[in-house]
Amino acid sequence: MSIVLQRLISRGLNQPDADIPFKSPGTLIRGPSDTGKSYIRDCLWYLLGGDKVPKEIPQSKGYDSLLLQLRAFGGDVYTIKRSLFGGGAEIYAEEIEGIKSGEPLPDDIGQLLVGLSGAKEKLLLRSAAKRGPMTGGDLRHWSLLSQPAMISEDPTTGAPTEQTQRKAAFSVFLTGQDDSSVVLAQSKDEKIKLKALIAAIEKDLERVNSEIPEGKTKIEIQDALTKVDETLDMLSTQQIERSSQLREIRNSLSTTLKELSDTEKKLNQSKLMASRFNLLDDKYASDLERLRSVGDGIAVFETLENQPCLLCGTPIEKQIDMSLLAKEATQKQRIAMDAEARKIESLRIGLLDALSKENHSISNMTSEVARLTKALDKITINEKNAIRLSVAEFSADPKKLAEVRTEYAAQVKLFDELDRLKSEHSRISGLIPEKKQKPIKRQTDVDSVKVGELAQEILHSWGFKQIKTVELDASECDIKIDGRSRLTYGAGKRAIFLSAMTIALMQHAMSSDYPHLGLVVLDSPIKSYSDPENKSDVTTSPVIVRESFYDWLSKWQGPGQIIVLENEPILESTANQLLPIEFSGSIFEGRAGFYPGIKS
């Protein structure tokens, strides 16, 4: 998986296109300083997702946009368009000429490049405690080398904050393996949180220890709690038994009270009935007495002789109906009164029989009331005795026992809390590593040897025949030449050696089907070596290096695309093979520079 750059264009209103066609596998853009060579590298960096807008130069006045056409490994063509004044980019699945009618894709440049490079699923360490996917910045960093980076004495991995991620990306290009299986270390924030937790636990431990009774153990407290529980259980059992006894007594009391009440009601009713019967008997007796008196009066009346009125002398015959005084009339009255008297006697006999029965019932119920009252008194005495015995049995105060139990239970919980806090303190303390985590050791030996051999072949091709060994130090993402670190050489050799390593890494990755962007852009790789000021570091003639480098580039067949931006002159015979893009620096001779304007 890789990409090939095809065209770079800068456009502006009423301005001619500044157009650079890239060849594959090798492109040379050559010319003097201030013609826009480094500017081209900055435009490529910006169009491939970099944040830094290319610096404004006089020749760019009137231009407002940049376009980059590239071809993916599978043959798809994309065009990236971005304003020279900053902002986001638009990506089209079209050639440059077709983007006017096309719709931009929703893709982000970084995501597009990562996908096209074959690194979509690769995860990199951002730090010892953080992991994330590969980014467009990782691809640009190891593919587009600026002139300052070529001669820099700083590590190839960039700023300290980026080094972990840059090393991880380098390892992916080198071995094809990512960091998805690496166990992450704790972050600084996580360590701070854990230490804060430990401090909080230690504070709780101090509090719990201060609340635990001095000289007491958990076993002793638990034994005391068990004894209190046993006492409470015994009291509870006694209470249940006494409650059952009292319940039976009170049930009996309730039953007796009800029977007594019912009997008293019946007794009162019988007494009421007897009283009424007595009243009725008295009435019957009175009626009989009255009838006897009337009979006696009639008898006396019959013995009397008829006499005229003592006042007026009127005879009795003239005063009343004499038929009423006839003997037959009084006889009828006597017969009637006798009949009434017999009737009353008959009723009285029945009444007295009923009264006798009521009196018998009253006698029985009076006896029953006396019996029930006696039984009630006995049950009441039993209840009082049961309550008294219950109080006497409960010598221990349940309330105080409950309070003591609560205290013991709280102390047992303190011991439990102490054990839990100690366990948690031990567990969290174990999460903080005692020693600094060892650096990540990736398996790079075999691949490093191959890249070192490729870099040595390239350097030999560039004229450095005297070099005996080139070793790739994967942990530093740099090479050693004849056992000597690249950064210890002069600026000219640092640039050439870094160029060789970068090309060798691309060549190895693509040959092994590992992720890589598939191109290398080198800004002035041999300029510093040819600089007279660096002649103290020169071991091979700068002319030989320059001619060997251009000759090698003209014969480069890949894998991968190499774009070189250089000042140094080229032999005509080599130029006929390489067909470089030449900037003259003058509008009167060939192409002046990237922009078709006057020289700055």
Side-chain angles (χ1 to χ4, degrees):
M1 303 284 287
S2 61
I3 65 171
V4 174
L5 303 186
Q6 293 182 318
R7 291 176 69 190
L8 170 65
I9 295 179
S10 181
R11 284 179 174 168
L13 185 62
N14 299 322
Q15 298 291 336
D17 286 353
D19 190 351
I20 297 291
F22 298 109
K23 297 192 299 295
S24 181
T27 299
L28 173 63
I29 302 173
R30 202 199 66 79
S33 299
D34 291 334
T35 54
K37 298 187 306 299
S38 295
Y39 185 84
I40 290 174
R41 182 263 171 198
D42 294 342
C43 289
L44 294 176
W45 183 277
Y46 178 61
L47 284 163
L48 293 176
D51 295 329
K52 187 177 180 181
V53 179
K55 63 182 179 181
E56 185 178 357
I57 58 177
Q59 296 92 328
S60 66
K61 186 176 181 179
Y63 290 85
D64 56 20
S65 62
L66 291 170
L67 298 100
L68 177 64
Q69 179 178 308
L70 58 90
R71 176 174 53 81
F73 176 78
D76 295 332
V77 175
Y78 297 91
T79 294
I80 302 171
K81 181 180 179 181
R82 201 167 182 185
S83 171
L84 270 170
F85 309 120
E90 293 179 341
I91 305 173
Y92 298 87
E94 306 280 352
E95 294 184 350
I96 290 176
E97 287 75 14
I99 67 172
K100 292 182 179 180
S101 59
E103 290 291 331
L105 302 175
D107 301 59
D108 172 79
I109 294 177
Q111 294 175 343
L112 176 68
L113 294 180
V114 170
L116 295 178
S117 68
K120 185 175 181 180
E121 304 298 330
K122 301 300 183 181
L123 297 177
L124 311 179
L125 289 179
R126 304 282 175 82
S127 65
K130 187 177 180 182
R131 182 166 39 218
M134 185 175 287
T135 66
D138 299 317
L139 297 169
R140 291 190 302 272
H141 180 83
W142 295 110
S143 296
L144 281 68
L145 304 185
S146 66
Q147 183 178 6
M150 303 279 278
I151 62 175
S152 174
E153 296 182 45
D154 296 326
T156 60
T157 49
T161 56
E162 299 176 338
Q163 288 181 358
T164 301
Q165 184 173 345
R166 299 302 183 223
K167 288 180 179 181
F170 187 92
S171 179
V172 171
F173 304 146
L174 178 63
T175 66
Q177 301 297 317
D178 66 355
D179 297 328
S180 57
S181 61
V182 175
V183 178
L184 297 178
Q186 288 177 339
S187 66
K188 185 177 180 180
D189 289 342
E190 289 175 336
K191 290 181 181 178
I192 291 174
K193 289 180 181 178
L194 292 175
K195 289 181 179 178
L197 282 174
I198 290 175
I201 292 172
E202 289 174 347
K203 189 174 181 180
D204 286 341
L205 282 170
E206 183 179 351
R207 173 185 59 77
V208 172
N209 279 317
S210 67
E211 294 177 0
I212 291 176
E214 187 175 355
K216 295 291 184 180
T217 66
K218 184 177 181 180
I219 294 177
E220 291 174 342
I221 299 296
Q222 286 176 330
D223 289 343
L225 179 61
T226 301
K227 292 178 181 178
V228 171
D229 285 338
E230 290 174 352
T231 303
L232 285 172
D233 287 341
M234 182 180 66
L235 291 177
S236 177
T237 302
Q238 292 176 349
Q239 180 68 33
I240 291 171
E241 292 175 353
R242 288 305 172 192
S243 296
S244 176
Q245 183 180 3
L246 282 172
R247 191 182 306 111
E248 291 177 359
I249 292 173
R250 284 169 179 166
N251 287 339
S252 178
L253 182 63
S254 175
T255 302
T256 304
L257 279 172
K258 186 176 185 305
E259 290 180 4
L260 178 60
S261 176
D262 292 342
T263 303
E264 286 178 338
K265 286 181 181 179
K266 292 178 181 179
L267 176 61
N268 291 332
Q269 289 175 355
S270 293
K271 286 181 177 180
L272 181 61
M273 290 299 295
S275 174
R276 289 178 178 177
F277 287 165
N278 286 324
L279 287 174
L280 186 57
D281 184 57
D282 290 344
K283 180 179 181 298
Y284 285 162
S286 176
D287 288 345
L288 289 173
E289 186 64 29
R290 178 178 54 78
L291 290 172
R292 290 192 188 98
S293 297
V294 172
D296 290 344
I298 292 173
V300 173
F301 179 77
E302 287 179 342
T303 64
L304 295 177
E305 295 180 0
N306 294 333
Q307 295 291 332
C309 177
L310 295 178
L311 294 178
C312 64
T314 302
I316 194 168
E317 292 89 359
K318 292 186 179 182
Q319 294 179 32
I320 61 175
D321 186 358
M322 288 304 291
S323 62
L324 295 175
L325 299 176
K327 189 174 183 178
E328 292 81 4
T330 57
Q331 188 66 30
K332 287 181 180 179
Q333 287 182 352
R334 281 188 173 192
I335 292 170
M337 286 189 292
D338 286 341
E340 181 67 21
R342 286 194 300 273
K343 179 181 178 182
I344 291 174
E345 288 290 346
S346 176
L347 289 172
R348 193 178 183 194
I349 291 171
L351 178 62
L352 292 175
D353 183 59
L355 181 59
S356 175
K357 290 181 179 178
E358 286 297 330
N359 286 331
H360 181 72
S361 295
I362 289 171
S363 176
N364 290 337
M365 283 188 282
T366 301
S367 300
E368 183 67 10
V369 166
R371 184 188 69 78
L372 290 173
T373 301
K374 186 177 180 181
L376 185 63
D377 292 340
K378 184 178 180 180
I379 293 171
T380 303
I381 293 171
N382 289 339
E383 181 186 27
K384 290 180 180 179
N385 290 335
I387 293 173
R388 180 176 55 79
L389 290 173
S390 175
V391 172
E393 285 179 352
F394 299 149
S395 57
D397 187 348
K399 182 179 179 181
K400 289 183 178 179
L401 283 174
E403 291 175 352
V404 171
R405 189 193 185 286
T406 300
E407 182 179 352
Y408 285 157
Q411 292 174 3
V412 170
K413 286 184 178 179
L414 286 175
F415 280 106
D416 292 340
E417 180 70 3
L418 184 65
D419 293 340
R420 186 190 68 80
L421 289 172
K422 287 180 178 179
S423 175
E424 190 69 4
H425 186 279
S426 177
R427 184 184 69 82
I428 294 177
S429 298
L431 296 177
I432 302 176
E434 297 180 0
K435 298 180 180 179
K436 189 175 181 181
Q437 188 173 10
K438 296 180 180 179
I440 300 297
K441 179 67 175 177
R442 297 182 174 92
Q443 300 297 324
T444 60
D445 294 347
V446 175
D447 296 286
S448 296
V449 170
K450 292 180 180 179
V451 171
E453 291 174 351
L454 290 172
Q456 183 174 349
E457 291 177 8
I458 292 171
L459 289 173
H460 284 177
S461 299
W462 291 353
F464 294 93
K465 304 287 187 181
Q466 75 280 9
I467 293 176
K468 296 180 180 179
T469 62
V470 175
E471 301 171 86
L472 175 64
D473 184 354
S475 62
E476 295 298 326
C477 305
D478 213 335
I479 55 174
K480 294 180 179 180
I481 299 88
D482 290 335
R484 179 180 168 186
S485 173
R486 181 188 68 87
L487 295 180
T488 63
Y489 287 88
K493 284 188 176 179
R494 287 199 299 271
I496 289 177
F497 294 162
L498 178 59
S499 300
M501 185 196 76
T502 304
I503 294 170
L505 178 64
M506 175 188 69
Q507 187 178 358
H508 170 71
M510 296 191 68
S511 298
S512 305
D513 200 23
Y514 296 159
H516 197 278
L517 197 55
L519 64 91
V520 170
V521 178
L522 304 174
D523 185 6
S524 305
I526 58 177
K527 176 182 178 182
S528 295
Y529 190 78
S530 300
D531 190 337
E533 294 182 5
N534 295 326
K535 61 183 180 180
S536 60
D537 197 41
V538 171
T539 55
T540 301
S541 167
V543 176
I544 293 176
V545 171
R546 180 183 67 211
E547 292 179 355
S548 299
F549 178 84
Y550 285 144
D551 180 65
W552 172 89
L553 183 60
S554 68
K555 298 175 181 177
W556 169 255
Q557 296 298 317
Q561 181 183 26
I562 299 175
I563 298 173
V564 177
L565 313 169
E566 188 53 79
N567 291 56
E568 294 302 299
I570 184 173
L571 293 175
E572 184 177 354
S573 58
T574 307
N576 291 334
Q577 294 179 356
L578 189 55
L579 301 177
I581 298 174
E582 295 277 359
F583 294 160
S584 66
S586 170
I587 60 173
F588 303 108
E589 181 182 348
R591 178 168 182 169
F594 175 60
Y595 286 102
I598 61 173
K599 182 183 178 186
S600 170

